[in-house]
């Protein structure tokens, strides 16, 4: 399994001091947190995408590329890439570039987001959100797997003889998780493509997410990708820890009570009972999250939210120390014990390259000299031949 953290990139007043950090401070803090996540042995750092205050993460690829240059091992992901309001062509090119810069340490969680006004800001209609998400991902999937694309749909201008550059690293597209908290059509989409499904398991009772994950597993098998147990599942989570559970509750309560997302709503105790939020000792976190597979089955990725609601950087780094030093090592052992032999490991770029090429060399895309219009002539890449007389790229297998 992979363990990591994700951030929603909120900028929130610290209720214990009355101080609100600046955007610049929070951006610098995110880099520090990502580096420390690697230092304490976590596997994944993921960042959301927002285009409105009080959030700062409008450009995940820029942030993750900067973090990639300062880390060596940790996988860099998105907590949501907005497939609805970003152009699939730009997503294809930006994340393939990030693949190259990070040495393959990148994947994405695709989603529609939870900010309604973002649609008109980017010229989209929220009433078309679901069909827009489905069509846009179909194009993105094609752009990463075909060197030359002819395409026409409902929501963007057609493409004729288009090549997204650079091509994915080693000829293998970034792994995609489809994220949803309420939409069965997104679980169906993930299953159709054989992609991962990520349930951001932080707001609602586990039974709600269980229904979505069970649907995804059943449809994953229906489309011939493997057994339900071989589907690729990720979960969100939320924790705050101290050596003494009473201290954890005392320290976290003011942040919970004033958080924009759930402050002034259910009590900390009620919310903790209804959702996976766990505020207590490291052992309480271990016990609760080790039991997740009783509800969801064996799964591949567990991400925790630990840096929101105005928590200061010092506290977040302390939480990372506990998570990486006391909690995750035990969870790795607990969740590995009794794991089915046919349950796949969490996806990595290296493993996916081996699955495609075995021990042979991976693809290195080398362009031919061409006019750049991609409308006639042979394939744009030296390793792909086109049939005699074929239009640009027709008949290409990759």
């Amino acid at each position: 399994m992979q363990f990591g953290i994700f951030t929603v990139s909120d900028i929130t007043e610290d209720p214990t001091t009355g101080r609100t950090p600046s955007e610049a401070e929070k951006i610098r803090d995110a880099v520090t947190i990502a580096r420390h996540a690697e230092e304490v042995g976590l596997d994944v750092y993921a960042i959301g995408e927002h285009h409105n205050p009080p959030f700062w993460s409008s450009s995940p690829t820029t942030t993750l590329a900067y973090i990639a240059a300062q880390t060596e091992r940790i996988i860099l992901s998105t907590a949501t890439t907005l497939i609805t309001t970003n152009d699939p062509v730009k997503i294809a090119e930006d994340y393939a570039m990030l693949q190259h810069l990070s040495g393959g340490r990148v994947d994405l969680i695709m989603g529609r987001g939870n900010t309604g006004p973002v649609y008109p800001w980017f010229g989209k209609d929220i009433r078309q959100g679901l069909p827009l998400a489905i069509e846009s991902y179909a194009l993105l999937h094609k752009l990463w797997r075909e060197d030359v694309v002819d395409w026409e749909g409902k929501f963007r201008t057609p493409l004729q003889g288009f090549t997204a550059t650079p091509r994915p690293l080693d000829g293998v597209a970034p792994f995609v998780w489809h994220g949803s908290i309420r939409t069965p059509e997104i679980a169906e989409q993930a299953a159709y493509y054989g992609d991962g499904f990520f349930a951001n398991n932080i707001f609602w009772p586990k039974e709600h997410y269980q229904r979505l994950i069970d649907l995804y597993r059943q449809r994953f098998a229906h489309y011939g990708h493997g057994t339900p147990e071989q589907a690729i599942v990720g979960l969100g989570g939320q924790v705050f820890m101290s050596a003494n559970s009473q201290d954890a509750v005392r320290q976290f309560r003011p942040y919970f009570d004033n958080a924009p997302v759930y402050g002034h709503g259910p009590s900390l105790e009620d919310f903790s009972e209804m959702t996976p939020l766990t505020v207590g000792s490291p052992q309480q976190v271990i016990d609760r999250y080790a039991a997740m597979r009783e509800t969801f089955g064996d799964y591949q990725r567990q991400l925790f939210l630990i840096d929101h609601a105005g928590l200061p950087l010092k506290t977040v780094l302390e939480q990372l120390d506990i998570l990486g030093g006391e909690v995750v090592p035990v969870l790795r052992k607990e969740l590995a014990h009794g794991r089915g032999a046919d349950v796949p490991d969490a996806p990595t770029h290296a493993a996916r390259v081996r699955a495609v090429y075995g021990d042979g060399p991976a693809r290195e895309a080398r362009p031919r000299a061409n006019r750049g219009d991609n409308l006639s002539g042979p394939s744009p890449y030296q390793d792909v031949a086109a049939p005699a007389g074929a239009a640009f790229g027709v008949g290409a297998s990759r």
Side-chain angles (χ1 to χ4, degrees):
M1 276 189 66
Q2 293 168 346
F3 293 89
I5 58 171
F6 72 98
T7 180
V8 295
S9 78
D10 64 306
I11 303 175
T12 302
E13 177 186 290
D14 184 333
T16 68
T17 65
R19 181 179 181 275
T20 302
S22 68
E23 291 176 328
E25 182 180 346
K26 291 296 288 186
I27 292 169
R28 291 193 301 268
D29 287 353
V31 177
T32 300
I33 291 166
R35 286 200 306 255
H36 198 56
E38 179 173 88
E39 291 167 358
V40 301
L42 300 187
D43 306 306
V44 183
Y45 175 81
I47 185 172
E49 178 183 349
H50 294 277
H51 298 275
N52 57 296
F55 306 99
W56 58 263
S57 60
S58 60
S59 181
T61 51
T62 305
T63 309
L64 294 177
Y66 187 81
I67 292 170
Q70 302 189 46
T71 55
E72 297 180 354
R73 181 189 56 80
I74 198 163
I75 295 171
L76 305 170
S77 187
T78 57
T80 302
T81 295
L82 298 180
I83 189 64
T84 44
T85 51
N86 285 303
D87 184 357
V89 171
K90 197 70 173 80
I91 295 176
E93 296 191 328
D94 283 352
Y95 284 92
M97 180 67 78
L98 182 56
Q99 257 196 322
H100 285 268
L101 292 173
S102 66
R105 293 183 291 129
V106 60
D107 58 33
L108 301 85
I109 299 177
M110 294 290 177
R112 292 181 293 153
N114 58 8
T115 305
V118 74
Y119 286 82
W121 294 340
F122 288 86
K124 306 297 182 181
D125 184 347
I126 192 172
R127 295 170 296 182
Q128 299 296 321
L130 188 55
L132 177 60
I134 292 169
E135 180 182 290
S136 295
Y137 184 66
L139 174 56
L140 175 62
H141 191 271
K142 189 178 183 74
L143 288 165
W144 272 335
R145 287 161 178 81
E146 298 180 19
D147 287 344
V148 181
V149 170
D150 293 324
W151 180 88
E152 185 171 356
K154 178 179 178 181
F155 296 107
R156 78 173 315 280
T157 53
L159 298 172
Q160 185 177 10
F162 178 75
T163 298
T165 59
R167 302 309 297 147
L169 178 65
D170 300 317
V172 175
F175 187 78
V176 170
W177 308 78
H178 298 259
S180 177
I181 62 172
R182 62 183 176 272
T183 309
E185 290 87 349
I186 299 302
E188 176 80 14
Q189 183 184 43
Y192 175 80
Y193 288 101
D195 295 337
F197 182 70
F198 189 88
N200 195 8
N201 183 26
I202 61 174
F203 289 126
W204 291 350
K206 61 186 179 182
E207 291 78 11
H208 169 80
Y209 298 101
Q210 183 183 34
R211 287 191 291 270
L212 283 174
I213 290 172
D214 285 349
L215 171 64
Y216 161 67
R217 289 187 185 277
Q218 293 162 15
R219 301 300 287 173
F220 182 93
H222 168 81
Y223 288 115
H225 301 300
T227 66
E229 293 75 22
Q230 291 172 321
I232 309 298
V233 173
L235 296 177
Q238 188 176 358
V239 298
F240 187 88
M241 298 166 287
S242 183
N244 180 286
S245 61
Q246 290 83 3
D247 289 340
V249 171
R250 176 181 54 79
Q251 293 166 20
F252 188 66
R253 189 181 299 280
Y255 295 97
F256 178 90
D257 287 348
N258 292 280
V261 173
Y262 41 49
H264 313 291
S267 69
L268 173 57
E269 288 74 15
D270 287 345
F271 195 83
S272 298
E273 182 178 351
M274 292 184 295
T275 78
L277 171 63
T278 306
V279 181
S281 68
Q283 189 59 52
Q284 287 175 295
V285 171
I286 291 167
D287 291 343
R288 194 164 197 196
Y289 281 85
M292 287 295 171
R293 69 173 173 185
E294 296 175 9
T295 301
F296 303 112
D298 286 313
Y299 60 110
Q300 282 71 27
R301 177 175 286 185
Q302 176 69 63
L303 301 184
F304 296 98
L305 176 62
I306 63 170
D307 73 335
H308 70 308
L311 289 165
L313 176 62
K314 179 176 180 294
T315 301
V316 174
L317 297 180
E318 291 169 350
Q319 291 295 301
L320 273 176
D321 288 336
I322 300 171
L323 192 63
E326 301 180 46
V327 173
V328 165
V330 179
L331 282 177
R332 287 193 197 278
K333 294 178 181 178
E334 291 279 346
L335 293 174
H337 180 70
R339 193 175 180 88
D342 61 341
V343 174
D345 292 336
T348 65
H349 181 73
R352 298 177 70 234
V353 170
R354 285 195 301 273
V356 174
Y357 300 100
D359 295 329
R363 184 185 193 191
E364 295 184 12
R366 291 183 169 87
R368 304 179 194 273
N370 65 75
R371 296 181 304 177
D373 61 8
N374 288 11
L375 293 176
S376 62
S379 166
Y381 290 96
Q382 297 176 25
D383 61 332
V384 179
F392 200 171
V394 171
S397 61
R398 186 177 301 280

